[in-house]
Amino acid sequence: THSTRPQRLLSAVQKNATRGDPSSVVKAIDQFCRQKEWAMNVGDEKGCILDLVVSEVNPTFVLELGTYCGYSTVRIARLLPPHAKVITLEFNPDFAAIAHQVIAWAGLEDKVHLIVGASGDWIPKMKEQFGLNSFDLVFLDHWKDRYLPDTKLMEECGLLRQGSILLADNVICPGAPDYLDYVRRSSQYESQYFKSHLEYTKVEDGLEKSIFLG
Ligand SMILES: Cn1ncc2cc([C@H](O)c3cccc(CNC(=O)c4cc(-c5ccc(F)cc5)cc(O)c4O)c3)ccc21
Ligand SMILES: [Mg+2]
């Protein structure tokens, strides 16, 4: 029987990382993706930019769109203060099952709420489900053609407040041109591009950080 890449990534974590040590989980995944098999984690180079933004925002509520194997979920959750939470949406149940185990290996279950479902269905339900008013930080890393519609949906649902930060992965590769155009043109956002590289490669990519001005 053949294993999947996410299953092999999880095995590498269980083999090489220390239970309860989030940084060793991050390191084990980056090592696996550099030495064995590429995978679409935000990676170590863009991950350092993500770390900087999370530390600067010091968020209470984070929304992550696109969990995949939980790499960026662990990167974010390991930096959160007590009682702060990451709510992460994954529509693919196989990815979600792996992510759940990666997050558990890191010992971060108490800071993470992993939902198996699609962003378009769940964004309108966030307030009632989690008793929150708005997100301090949103990390967009799901289907690139969903970045813009989901951003508009978050605006409509009142999930962004003055100062909420959107951080979008892959704005160059694979690219999210309509989203980039929107946040850069809109007077409701102050946008900044952080040039980097596609995870584990020399190809250009970057993160776009956009502050919602309300
Ligand atoms: C609606 N909804 N709600 C929740 C939700 C969750 C998902 C899944 O997590 C999921 C599944 C498949 C693809 C993605 C998007 N990610 C990418 O496509 C990507 C590609 C590359 C790349 C770059 C160069 C290549 F040559 C190949 C792939 C590098 C990257 O960092 C990526 O993030 C996300 C999907 C829709 C969802
Ligand atoms: Mg990505």
Side-chain angles (χ1 to χ4, degrees):
T1 58
H2 304 282
S3 66
T4 65
R5 181 167 306 184
Q7 282 169 333
R8 295 192 290 272
L9 182 149
L10 171 62
S11 301
V13 166
Q14 293 168 333
K15 177 166 176 277
N16 302 313
T18 308
R19 262 187 179 285
D21 177 357
S23 294
S24 74
V25 169
V26 168
K27 197 168 162 34
I29 294 172
D30 286 329
Q31 213 160 353
F32 172 78
C33 291
R34 279 193 182 284
Q35 294 167 10
K36 299 284 188 329
E37 300 185 62
W38 187 92
M40 61 176 180
N41 315 119
V42 73
D44 42 359
E45 192 179 310
K46 288 186 288 179
C48 285
I49 301 166
L50 172 61
D51 289 357
L52 273 173
V53 172
V54 173
S55 302
E56 183 189 16
V57 175
N58 201 30
T60 302
F61 282 111
V62 182
L63 175 62
E64 176 179 62
L65 301 177
T67 317
Y68 186 42
C69 295
Y71 174 89
S72 46
T73 322
V74 167
R75 279 203 87 109
I76 294 166
R78 86 189 201 290
L79 298 175
L80 294 185
H83 315 302
K85 288 260 187 273
V86 189
I87 297 167
T88 184
L89 298 186
E90 179 49 61
F91 92 106
N92 179 317
D94 300 324
F95 292 169
I98 297 297
H100 182 81
Q101 295 174 80
V102 167
I103 292 157
W105 198 268
L108 292 169
E109 309 94 309
D110 296 348
K111 292 184 178 299
V112 177
H113 200 107
L114 171 56
I115 296 173
V116 187
S119 50
D121 300 332
W122 273 90
I123 285 170
K125 296 193 280 191
M126 281 293 157
K127 289 198 173 191
E128 66 185 298
Q129 288 291 319
F130 295 98
L132 54 89
N133 285 318
S134 59
F135 287 105
D136 305 304
L137 171 66
V138 182
F139 181 55
L140 298 93
D141 195 21
H142 59 333
W143 286 332
K144 309 314 162 193
D145 61 0
R146 289 297 315 176
Y147 282 19
L148 182 53
D150 285 343
T151 296
K152 289 181 174 173
L153 189 56
M154 286 187 285
E155 289 173 12
E156 286 152 23
C157 296
L159 285 167
L160 304 178
R161 51 126 175 113
Q162 204 161 44
S164 288
I165 304 285
L166 303 185
L167 188 65
D169 190 24
N170 310 116
V171 293
I172 302 301
C173 176
D178 58 345
Y179 171 81
L180 217 38
D181 198 52
Y182 177 75
V183 290
R184 289 177 175 175
R185 283 169 182 267
S186 165
S187 58
Q188 285 196 296
Y189 292 92
E190 180 55 44
S191 229
Q192 183 183 3
Y193 175 62
F194 290 80
K195 184 174 177 183
S196 184
H197 295 93
L198 177 68
E199 48 267 28
Y200 318 116
T201 78
K202 292 186 166 44
V203 173
E204 183 179 343
D205 189 21
L207 300 172
E208 188 82 1
K209 175 189 168 191
S210 307
I211 307 173
F212 185 64
L213 303 173

